[in-house]
């Protein structure tokens, strides 16, 4: 684990530096000549390694901290994404993902988005009042959110990079680019994800050749009649390919009644 390596790295450096100095002076070869060594000789060298005394534990950084370090060091997440498995939580608070909002953007009015604060720039206006511009990003897209002095004074404590947040604000257009004037902010608890407790989606299989407007209408009505918190994915199965759609606006409460109604829709099969 990376935490274990960090915990022992100072001891490792202290053990090797003197030997490297001796090697540089021609007094000692740290690696020796391995070309003609026997297995017994190699084992002997390994057992006498200056790092043999190091003990590595099994503890790792908390998920959020580990991923934050990855992004700080490399500029991107490597082992996972902080929002992996968080779809149910995000859609519970903000029915539409950012990509869907940008694909069909409103010209005005209020919007609700949820995601991760991936960048934050704090500024001061001409009156000396602080405000901020932040980027809120989910799994597929990102949007800029501006918190002017009055809102900033209320939410500055939660405007922190790598925080998962719910944002409420007003649509703003400038040079054909949409942003949001933030008017509300709340942090989201993603601890259940780290514990593997996120609820899996209800997956519906749909035969492409049987889908028509009547089937779509019946499916929509059925899902709306069983509103809940479980996300729904529709896997459209054709002869040559499969396409998965996330039905963000139609989370459900999974019950035997819902499954029974879904089975009655032509071409739809529930696979929870």
């Amino acid at each position: 684990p990376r935490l274990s390596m960090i915990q022992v790295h100072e001891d490792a450096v202290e053990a090797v530096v003197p030997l490297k100095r001796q090697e540089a002076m021609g007094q000692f070869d740290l690696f020796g000549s391995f070309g003609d060594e026997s297995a017994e000789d190699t084992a002997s060298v390994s057992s006498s390694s200056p790092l043999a005394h190091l003990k590595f534990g099994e503890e790792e950084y908390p998920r959020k901290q580990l991923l934050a370090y990855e992004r700080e060091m490399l500029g991107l997440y490597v082992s996972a994404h902080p929002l992996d498995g968080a779809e149910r939580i995000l859609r519970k608070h903000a029915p539409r993902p950012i990509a869907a909002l940008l694909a069909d953007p409103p010209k005005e009015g209020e919007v609700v988005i949820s995601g991760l604060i991936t960048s934050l720039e704090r500024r001061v206006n001409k009156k000396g009042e602080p405000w901020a511009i932040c980027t809120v990003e989910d799994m597929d897209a990102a949007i800029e959110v501006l918190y002017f002095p009055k809102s900033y004074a209320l939410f500055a404590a939660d405007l922190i990079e790598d925080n998962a947040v719910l944002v409420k604000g007003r649509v703003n257009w400038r040079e054909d680019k949409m942003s949001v004037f933030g008017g509300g902010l709340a942090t989201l608890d993603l601890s259940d994800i780290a514990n593997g407790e996120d609820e899996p989606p209800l997956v519906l299989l749909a035969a492409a050749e049987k889908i028509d407007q009547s089937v779509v209408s019946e499916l929509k009505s059925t899902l709306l009649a069983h509103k809940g918190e479980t996300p729904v994915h529709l896997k459209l199965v054709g002869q040559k390919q499969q396409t998965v759609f996330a039905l963000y606006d139609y989370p459900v409460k999974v019950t035997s009644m819902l499954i029974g109604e879904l089975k009655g829709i032509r071409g739809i099969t529930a696979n929870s």
Side-chain angles (χ1 to χ4, degrees):
R2 275 169 269 181
L3 175 58
S4 293
M5 289 191 286
I6 289 293
Q7 290 173 336
V8 303
H9 84 279
E10 290 185 356
D11 290 340
V13 171
E14 290 178 0
V16 171
V17 165
L19 300 179
K20 294 296 289 183
R21 287 174 179 165
Q22 292 177 4
E23 180 187 16
M25 296 171 60
Q27 297 178 7
F28 182 75
D29 185 354
L30 177 63
F31 298 102
S33 176
F34 292 100
D36 299 323
E37 285 178 347
S38 66
E40 182 178 349
D41 292 335
T42 302
S44 176
V45 171
S46 299
S47 63
S48 61
S49 165
L51 305 181
H53 67 288
L54 299 180
K55 304 297 182 183
F56 294 92
E58 297 182 358
E59 184 181 2
E60 183 57 284
Y61 287 110
R63 170 192 167 103
K64 181 178 179 180
Q65 186 177 0
L66 180 70
L67 296 177
Y69 283 155
E70 288 182 355
R71 189 169 68 85
E72 179 183 345
M73 175 64 69
L74 303 172
L76 72 162
Y77 301 111
V78 178
S79 57
H81 190 283
L83 297 180
D84 283 344
E87 181 183 325
R88 177 179 62 87
I89 298 174
L90 298 180
R91 298 290 73 81
K92 176 181 178 181
H93 298 282
R96 301 179 69 193
I98 296 174
L101 184 67
L102 296 177
D104 184 22
K107 294 300 181 183
E108 58 184 8
E110 293 189 346
V111 293
V112 179
I113 60 174
S114 58
L116 205 69
I117 297 178
T118 55
S119 69
L120 179 66
E121 183 179 351
R122 301 182 192 272
R123 298 184 177 183
V124 177
N125 64 15
K126 294 180 180 179
K127 297 181 180 180
E129 300 170 324
W131 62 289
I133 301 175
C134 65
T135 299
V136 177
E137 179 180 328
D138 59 14
M139 296 294 291
D140 301 308
I143 193 169
E144 192 174 80
V145 182
L146 294 79
Y147 279 92
F148 292 118
K150 289 185 178 179
S151 297
Y152 179 84
L154 297 174
F155 307 115
D158 292 324
L159 286 171
I160 303 172
E161 288 190 11
D162 298 312
N163 251 9
V165 295
L166 168 70
V167 172
K168 294 182 179 180
R170 181 165 50 86
V171 172
N172 172 64
W173 286 93
R174 183 176 182 180
E175 298 179 353
D176 296 327
K177 180 182 179 181
M178 190 182 90
S179 60
V180 175
F181 288 167
L185 181 76
T187 58
L188 299 178
D189 182 9
L190 303 184
S191 58
D192 285 350
I193 300 174
N195 297 328
E197 299 175 1
D198 195 45
E199 185 175 359
L202 172 66
V203 180
L204 305 179
L205 303 181
E209 71 276 5
K210 296 182 180 180
I211 298 298
D212 55 24
Q213 188 58 47
S214 63
V215 172
V216 172
S217 297
E218 186 176 0
L219 176 60
K220 179 179 178 180
S221 299
T222 300
L223 297 179
L224 288 175
H226 296 270
K227 286 186 176 182
E229 297 183 1
T230 301
V232 178
H233 289 180
L234 180 69
K235 182 182 290 186
L236 192 63
V237 182
Q239 292 183 349
K240 296 183 178 180
Q241 66 179 12
Q242 298 181 1
T243 306
V244 179
F245 298 93
L247 307 184
Y248 296 111
D249 296 331
Y250 303 95
V252 297
K253 180 179 181 181
V254 180
T255 63
S256 57
M257 181 178 294
L258 169 63
I259 300 300
E261 292 181 16
L262 291 171
K263 288 181 178 179
I265 302 177
R266 180 170 57 90
I268 301 295
T269 303
N271 185 25
S272 58

